Amino acid sequence: MFWPMLHLFLAFAGVAVLGVLAVRVALEVRRLAKAVGDGAERIALAAEDLERAALPLAGSGGRLRERRRDGRG
Protein backbone atom coordinates (compact mmCIF):
# COMPACT_ATOMS: atom_id res chain seq x y z
CA MET A 1 0.00 0.00 0.00
CA PHE A 2 2.99 2.28 0.50
CA TRP A 3 4.16 2.25 -3.14
CA PRO A 4 0.83 3.14 -4.73
CA MET A 5 0.40 6.01 -2.26
CA LEU A 6 3.93 7.21 -3.01
CA HIS A 7 3.23 7.10 -6.74
CA LEU A 8 0.00 9.04 -6.29
CA PHE A 9 1.76 11.62 -4.15
CA LEU A 10 4.57 12.05 -6.70
CA ALA A 11 2.07 12.33 -9.54
CA PHE A 12 0.11 14.97 -7.65
CA ALA A 13 3.30 16.85 -6.80
CA GLY A 14 4.38 16.73 -10.45
CA VAL A 15 1.04 18.08 -11.62
CA ALA A 16 1.17 20.80 -8.97
CA VAL A 17 4.67 21.85 -10.07
CA LEU A 18 3.56 21.92 -13.70
CA GLY A 19 0.54 24.03 -12.72
CA VAL A 20 2.71 26.55 -10.88
CA LEU A 21 5.08 26.75 -13.83
CA ALA A 22 2.15 27.23 -16.22
CA VAL A 23 0.87 30.14 -14.13
CA ARG A 24 4.33 31.72 -14.09
CA VAL A 25 4.62 31.34 -17.86
CA ALA A 26 1.18 32.88 -18.37
CA LEU A 27 2.12 35.88 -16.23
CA GLU A 28 5.37 36.38 -18.13
CA VAL A 29 3.54 36.12 -21.46
CA ARG A 30 1.08 38.76 -20.30
CA ARG A 31 3.95 41.02 -19.23
CA LEU A 32 5.76 40.49 -22.53
CA ALA A 33 2.61 41.20 -24.53
CA LYS A 34 2.15 44.47 -22.65
CA ALA A 35 5.78 45.43 -23.32
CA VAL A 36 5.40 44.63 -27.02
CA GLY A 37 2.20 46.69 -27.19
CA ASP A 38 3.89 49.63 -25.50
CA GLY A 39 6.83 49.35 -27.87
CA ALA A 40 4.56 49.24 -30.91
CA GLU A 41 2.75 52.34 -29.67
CA ARG A 42 6.05 54.17 -29.18
CA ILE A 43 7.17 53.17 -32.68
CA ALA A 44 3.90 54.45 -34.15
CA LEU A 45 4.33 57.78 -32.34
CA ALA A 46 7.92 58.05 -33.55
CA ALA A 47 6.79 57.34 -37.12
CA GLU A 48 4.19 60.09 -36.87
CA ASP A 49 6.82 62.51 -35.57
CA LEU A 50 9.13 61.53 -38.43
CA GLU A 51 6.38 62.10 -40.97
CA ARG A 52 5.62 65.51 -39.49
CA ALA A 53 9.30 66.45 -39.58
CA ALA A 54 9.74 65.17 -43.15
CA LEU A 55 6.84 67.12 -44.68
CA PRO A 56 8.71 70.45 -44.98
CA LEU A 57 11.78 68.67 -46.34
CA ALA A 58 9.70 66.82 -48.91
CA GLY A 59 8.19 70.08 -50.11
CA SER A 60 11.57 71.78 -50.46
CA GLY A 61 12.96 68.71 -52.25
CA GLY A 62 10.20 68.97 -54.83
CA ARG A 63 10.98 72.64 -55.43
CA LEU A 64 14.68 71.83 -55.80
CA ARG A 65 13.92 69.16 -58.38
CA GLU A 66 11.78 71.61 -60.35
CA ARG A 67 14.58 74.17 -60.33
CA ARG A 68 17.07 71.63 -61.62
CA ARG A 69 14.66 70.58 -64.35
CA ASP A 70 14.19 74.21 -65.42
CA GLY A 71 17.95 74.79 -65.40
CA ARG A 72 17.91 77.29 -62.51
CA GLY A 73 19.57 75.20 -59.92
Side-chain angles (χ1 to χ4, degrees):
M1 189 68 182
F2 171 74
W3 294 111
M5 294 299 280
L6 179 65
H7 288 154
L8 282 174
F9 173 75
L10 290 177
F12 176 77
V15 170
V17 168
L18 289 177
V20 169
L21 291 176
V23 169
R24 289 182 63 188
V25 167
L27 292 175
E28 288 298 317
V29 166
R30 177 181 273 175
R31 188 177 64 85
L32 179 62
K34 184 179 182 319
V36 168
D38 291 345
E41 186 176 333
R42 290 176 64 193
I43 289 172
L45 291 175
E48 289 174 8
D49 290 345
L50 184 61
E51 272 186 46
R52 237 178 282 123
L55 280 177
L57 296 175
S60 65
R63 287 192 298 272
L64 180 62
R65 186 175 24 181
E66 289 173 7
R67 281 190 201 167
R68 286 189 180 170
R69 194 178 323 145
D70 293 343
R72 294 184 283 169

